[in-house]
Amino acid sequence: MSGRRSILRRATVALTAMVTAFGLFAAAPASAELQNPRQQWLRDGQAGLFLHWGMRTSPGYTSCAAWEKAVTDGGWSAAYWVTEAKKLHARYIVLASFHSKLGYSKAWPSSVPGSCATKRDFLGELVAAAKPQGLKVINYMTDDPQWHAEGGHEWLDSAGYSKYKGKNVDLSTRDGFGQYSYDSFLEVMQRYPDLGGFWIDNDNAYWESHGLYEKIRADRPNYLLSNNNEDTPIMDTISNEQKTGMTPSYDYPQATYTAQPRLTEACFKLPSSGAWWYSGTDSTVDYKLTLGRFIANSGSSIKSLMAETAMVNGKFPAKQEAFNNFANGYLEDIWESIGGTEGGGYSSGGLKPGFWNDGAHGVTTISKSNKDNQYIHVLTKPSTSTLKVRDNGYRVKKVTNLRTGAAIGFSQGGGTLTLTGLSGWDQYDTVFKVETAGRAGVYDPATVTEKANGQSAPAIGDGSYLSFWDSNKTLPVNVDFDLGSAKKVQYVGLNQREDSVSYAKSGTEQSARIKDYKVYVSSDGQNWGSAVKTGQLASHRGVAFLDLATVTSRYVRVQVTSTWSASSDTKHYKKLGIDEAWIGSSYATAAS
């Protein structure tokens, strides 16, 4: 995970390409396949195991034969990696051996000269061991030759590759390395039909100009393509490399910048310090941070790609093995609330996640198979024995502690689910199972007409997360709702487009979410009078609510006067996207 180019091509899938005029429907570019059957296994999973394992894994080698002998003599077993991945409830393993800072070694017998290759087929053995256990193996491929002389040793063989190609090719250049790695892609595709796909460390212009990705799609249509740090439309997945600085620290999803339903992956190390690969140190694993990231990602429908540092013999250092053993049982006890769920409070519906009362923070999940089953994951407990979570219109009939089965006292009113008498908090994740009786007090979107600055804006209320409304960087904006006749209005619900980071780290990382707003009502859609509500939303992810003193009206207007991004942030300034918005007629009450 090194040699990152500073300019990220995030704009290629900013999901605004079809916005041709203010207020028009917006959708993903046609070249980005947001949904495809080949992606389903990853959408159904929650995590992967990332393994950087190559020539420079401690102790380092400069001879592939010597490294291979050490691996074999050390007792390397593909089954061990598969077993450890399953302890982490991972669905896939990414093998990073063809890595720039690990010596560009190929862990498979390669007929393409240019860098070190083993005679033993470690990649093939791993694919074969993973398949019967329901796991996929993805092969890491780097784009970057700049580390060709890392550690004072030349890792790339330009002369050998030039002879193979019948022309002079300098592998230390991006174009030359692009040709060599292109041939390596083709070799892997030919040999491993059961491979899950490729995890690609940024892009290479040679690959793009010579149609590498298109060839992969044609030859291996079942392969998944994941790209690190760059959002390339033809890729299935965008992987966001480890970020820090969030509050709370485990809330990794705050650092993502690509809107779902784009498949999104969060890539982070389990060792608290050190390199992405084994450097000779048995580093500590921060259990709270790691489990918090795993749960927070699951609560945002983001996949966790967890990096562990495999030693030369393939075994993990003792502290990482100990974490795997702990995570195996710990996650199993609450897997009902993670496996087969989507993040709550986003496009799949569900209770509101994020910042709750009295310092509490966490995420919610909602079952894919039964939307009436939801889960509250309290990662940071409140300072009191009470937890208050916005109910998003769901009528609650029962709450239990998922680990113990104990019934939890609750009440519901004013849009809030209140859990009382809480104690015995889990040190990492207290999970409450919330059984509901569906949603109430929300007008059917089919009966409501939406406009934005006077133009039709059906994407705001069409119920589809594949479409959204885009302001085209114009503020202020008026979003109007026509209920068809005068009706009771209690609140406005909003799911904003989750395509920008929500923590301020620099002038180019600012939230494009709503800041200041006003709400108006009208009987004729022409005369609006004074605002019935003026306020400011926090720059937080997840569903938002604009609560009103009960009014009766046919027309409701939400006027957005500013967003959180600063004028210095040209990417996000005045940008606003709304996935869905709805009108609440009344607050939900408990179902029992």
Side-chain angles (χ1 to χ4, degrees):
M1 302 285 287
S2 59
R4 304 291 184 251
R5 297 202 298 280
S6 60
I7 300 176
L8 303 180
R9 302 189 312 161
R10 299 176 177 177
T12 56
V13 191
L15 302 184
T16 57
M18 294 183 67
V19 181
T20 56
F22 174 78
L24 294 187
F25 169 84
S31 57
E33 289 187 281
L34 298 183
Q35 292 182 317
N36 186 288
R38 68 174 169 268
Q39 303 168 356
Q40 196 57 49
W41 67 265
L42 183 54
R43 291 191 180 278
D44 290 341
Q46 297 292 348
L49 177 59
F50 203 0
L51 301 177
H52 292 68
W53 187 66
M55 293 283 285
R56 287 178 61 77
T57 299
S58 180
Y61 294 84
T62 56
S63 162
C64 213
W67 177 65
E68 180 178 350
K69 183 178 186 302
V71 172
T72 299
D73 290 350
W76 182 85
S77 166
Y80 170 82
W81 279 355
V82 172
T83 298
E84 295 302 302
K86 292 181 70 175
K87 290 178 183 178
L88 293 169
H89 288 65
R91 287 291 304 276
Y92 62 111
I93 297 172
V94 178
L95 177 59
S97 62
F98 190 62
H99 185 288
S100 52
K101 293 194 83 173
L102 284 175
Y104 301 92
S105 53
K106 299 177 182 179
W108 66 90
S110 176
S111 60
V112 181
S115 68
C116 164
T118 61
K119 296 186 182 301
R120 182 177 176 182
D121 192 355
F122 296 106
L123 175 59
E125 290 182 37
L126 183 58
V127 171
K131 184 178 180 179
Q133 296 299 317
L135 272 69
K136 298 279 189 180
V137 174
I138 294 180
N139 196 46
Y140 175 108
M141 300 292 277
T142 186
D143 70 309
D144 191 357
Q146 70 169 304
W147 307 100
H148 65 93
E150 177 74 0
H153 177 78
E154 179 56 60
W155 300 98
L156 298 178
D157 179 10
S158 295
Y161 184 70
S162 296
K163 182 178 180 181
Y164 171 78
K165 296 295 285 187
K167 62 179 181 179
N168 186 46
V169 182
D170 183 355
L171 297 190
S172 68
T173 66
R174 291 196 64 83
D175 186 75
F177 186 80
Q179 295 182 56
Y180 166 58
S181 52
Y182 186 103
D183 288 346
S184 298
F185 272 102
L186 300 188
E187 178 180 66
V188 170
M189 279 196 291
Q190 180 182 16
R191 291 191 177 186
Y192 307 105
D194 289 332
L195 190 72
F198 293 112
W199 200 95
I200 298 168
D201 206 348
N202 299 318
D203 275 326
N204 185 291
Y206 183 91
W207 301 346
E208 296 175 309
S209 64
H210 286 74
L212 172 63
Y213 306 137
E214 289 78 8
K215 184 165 181 59
I216 295 172
R217 285 280 179 261
D219 292 358
R220 296 293 184 204
N222 59 311
Y223 274 20
L224 193 83
L225 292 177
S226 183
N227 197 218
N228 182 41
N229 286 335
E230 295 189 10
D231 202 342
T232 306
I234 199 170
M235 301 293 182
D236 294 290
T237 303
I238 168 65
S239 189
N240 298 276
E241 191 178 336
Q242 183 174 23
K243 301 289 193 302
T244 59
M246 282 72 73
T247 303
S249 59
Y250 55 74
D251 194 9
Y252 189 107
Q254 291 185 53
T256 62
Y257 55 81
T258 305
Q260 293 183 8
R262 188 74 160 145
L263 255 175
T264 310
E265 187 181 64
C267 176
F268 57 91
K269 295 184 296 182
L270 268 63
S272 302
S273 60
W276 288 85
W277 48 88
Y278 182 68
S279 58
T281 302
D282 185 8
S283 298
T284 299
V285 177
D286 186 329
Y287 283 38
K288 185 171 181 61
L289 176 62
T290 300
L291 291 168
R293 282 175 162 171
F294 189 108
I295 301 300
N297 290 338
S298 296
S300 301
S301 297
I302 293 172
K303 312 308 174 185
S304 294
L305 183 54
M306 300 174 283
E308 293 199 320
T309 56
M311 297 182 286
V312 168
N313 62 8
K315 297 293 194 300
F316 298 124
K319 291 175 182 176
Q320 290 172 55
E321 254 194 356
F323 174 81
N324 294 350
N325 292 332
F326 173 80
N328 188 28
Y330 186 85
L331 293 174
E332 189 62 33
D333 288 344
I334 58 170
W335 195 246
E336 172 190 332
S337 67
I338 304 171
T341 68
E342 293 286 359
Y346 299 97
S347 58
S348 296
L351 304 170
K352 182 176 174 59
F355 295 87
W356 297 318
N357 63 293
D358 300 316
H361 185 274
V363 296
T364 68
T365 54
I366 183 168
S367 170
K368 293 180 184 179
S369 60
N370 184 356
K371 296 289 187 180
D372 287 338
N373 287 342
Q374 302 189 42
Y375 305 87
I376 300 172
H377 295 262
V378 184
L379 298 169
T380 299
K381 68 180 182 179
S383 59
T384 65
S385 60
T386 299
L387 181 70
K388 296 181 179 182
V389 177
R390 187 69 188 236
D391 61 32
N392 201 4
Y394 291 92
R395 299 189 68 211
V396 177
K397 61 182 182 181
K398 184 179 181 181
V399 181
T400 54
N401 184 308
L402 185 59
R403 292 185 186 278
T404 66
I408 302 298
F410 71 93
S411 60
Q412 194 172 5
T416 299
L417 170 65
T418 301
L419 310 185
T420 56
L422 303 177
S423 62
W425 299 95
D426 183 85
Q427 61 180 325
Y428 304 125
D429 179 24
T430 304
V431 187
F432 298 110
K433 181 175 182 177
V434 180
E435 298 176 50
T436 73
R439 291 181 85 191
V442 177
Y443 289 118
D444 182 351
T447 67
V448 181
T449 302
E450 299 85 13
K451 291 184 177 181
N453 276 13
Q455 298 191 30
S456 178
I460 291 176
D462 65 0
S464 173
Y465 59 85
L466 292 174
S467 65
F468 66 100
W469 173 84
D470 193 294
S471 72
N472 201 22
K473 291 192 174 182
T474 300
L475 287 178
V477 60
N478 293 327
V479 178
D480 297 344
F481 303 85
D482 180 358
L483 302 178
S485 62
K487 296 178 181 179
K488 181 181 174 183
V489 178
Q490 186 72 73
Y491 66 88
V492 180
L494 290 165
N495 267 333
Q496 299 180 68
R497 192 72 178 166
E498 291 293 331
D499 61 354
S500 65
V501 291
S502 61
Y503 74 112
K505 294 296 290 181
S506 72
T508 57
E509 292 183 313
Q510 301 289 336
S511 166
R513 297 177 183 85
I514 296 171
K515 185 177 183 182
D516 296 299
Y517 70 89
K518 297 178 181 179
V519 181
Y520 300 83
V521 296
S522 171
S523 60
D524 59 7
Q526 301 296 322
N527 301 295
W528 295 94
S530 301
V532 297
K533 177 70 178 290
T534 299
Q536 187 177 95
L537 290 177
S539 180
H540 293 161
R541 302 181 70 236
V543 60
F545 300 93
L546 315 180
D547 292 298
L548 310 176
T550 304
V551 297
T552 299
S553 181
R554 173 175 174 174
Y555 297 93
V556 180
R557 167 173 289 176
V558 176
Q559 183 181 83
V560 179
T561 58
S562 68
T563 57
W564 282 97
S565 55
S567 59
S568 58
D569 181 355
T570 57
K571 177 178 173 61
H572 297 123
Y573 184 55
K574 291 188 176 182
K575 181 179 179 181
L576 174 62
I578 298 177
D579 269 321
E580 296 297 320
W582 58 94
I583 303 295
S585 62
S586 60
Y587 295 123
T589 56
S592 61

